[in-house]
Amino acid sequence: MSKTIISVKNLVKNYGKFNAVKGISFEVKEGEIFGLLGPNGAGKSTTLEIIETLRQKTSGEVIVDGIDLDKDPNEIKKIIGVQLQTSGYYPGLNLLQLIELFCGLYNRTVDPMQLLEMVNLKDKAKAKVKELSGGQKQRFSVATTLINEPRIIFLDEPTTGLDPQARRSLWELVKNIRQRGTTVIITTHYMDEAEYLCDRVAIIDAGNIIALDTPDKLIDNLIATGFERPKEMKLANLEDVFIKLTGHSLRED
Ligand code: ADP
Ligand code: MG
């Protein structure tokens, strides 16, 4: 059993009188891809941003790699990679310049071209963020999470709004990042994505965790209740047709 890298206990977040996160507890193991699944408004981003030290919790305990959020948020910041909204980037700078800027902020030296190569954006080194497609923007924003060589990265709905090819390209990127030993926490409401990527998932609804396990186990549990899909599944679906016809390769590059 690998070691626990994030431990959340009885986490509560109130926005005024509204109870957005209702005392949730979960652990993330080192090196896993952990999914937080749930409908809009479930409390996924709130939970993530509290762990990322970007939002204040109301109560509860958060420990990241042995560091207590209440005592040492700055130490937590040093070991995590946070995805920023691409709209927040300095519009006048190109990708290389942005990476150099982030290196300065994090006090790190990385090879910007190597980083861009990893996210398949070498050709776009001199482009500005606004000139990128949706998938390219997301890949760049994932790249920026890696600059400080974090132990853990947080991805909040990284594939929302992307076409099937761009989603698959991002999935492979996330798998590569984990392959290098980085723990990944990802939110999504695409269940195929969670099933493909995540080692374990927590399903969160209206501020409560209502299930937490491996995708396989959750599916088996449902089948064990006697659940059957209402109609016989075909061996492929419309997305398979789309991918077969239009190919796996990215159009945007
Ligand atoms: P998710 O990411 O799962 O869609 P959020 O964590 O963004 O959900 O939001 C959870 C709930 O908290 C939602 O009902 C949302 O409207 C509310 N909420 C989020 N941020 C704020 C805020 N800054 N002020 C008030 N309510 C908020
Ligand atoms: Mg959200």
Side-chain angles (χ1 to χ4, degrees), residues 78-84 89 99 102-103 106 108-111 114-120 138-155 173-174 176-178 180-184:
K78 287 184 195 162
I79 60 158
I80 64 171
V82 172
Q83 207 185 5
L84 302 171
Y89 295 144
I99 291 174
F102 284 120
C103 285
Y106 287 128
R108 295 274 176 159
T109 38
V110 300
D111 177 348
Q114 204 183 328
L115 189 63
L116 288 176
E117 176 153 36
M118 178 168 179
V119 297
N120 200 8
Q138 281 299 345
R139 295 207 303 280
F140 181 66
S141 123
V142 172
T144 63
T145 70
L146 300 173
I147 290 170
N148 61 334
E149 293 173 341
R151 310 271 313 276
I152 311 162
I153 63 166
F154 295 81
L155 305 175
L173 174 58
V174 172
N176 287 342
I177 291 169
R178 188 269 290 281
R180 302 170 358 147
T182 310
T183 306
V184 179

Side-chain angles (χ1 to χ4, degrees), residues 82-107:
V82 172
Q83 207 185 5
L84 302 171
Q85 296 296 317
T86 46
S87 56
Y89 295 144
Y90 292 90
L93 302 183
N94 66 34
L95 303 192
L96 276 181
Q97 292 166 327
L98 281 169
I99 291 174
E100 275 155 14
L101 174 73
F102 284 120
C103 285
L105 294 175
Y106 287 128
N107 202 13

Side-chain angles (χ1 to χ4, degrees), residues 44-46 156-157 187:
K44 305 181 294 294
S45 298
T46 299
D156 197 353
E157 291 189 26
T187 73

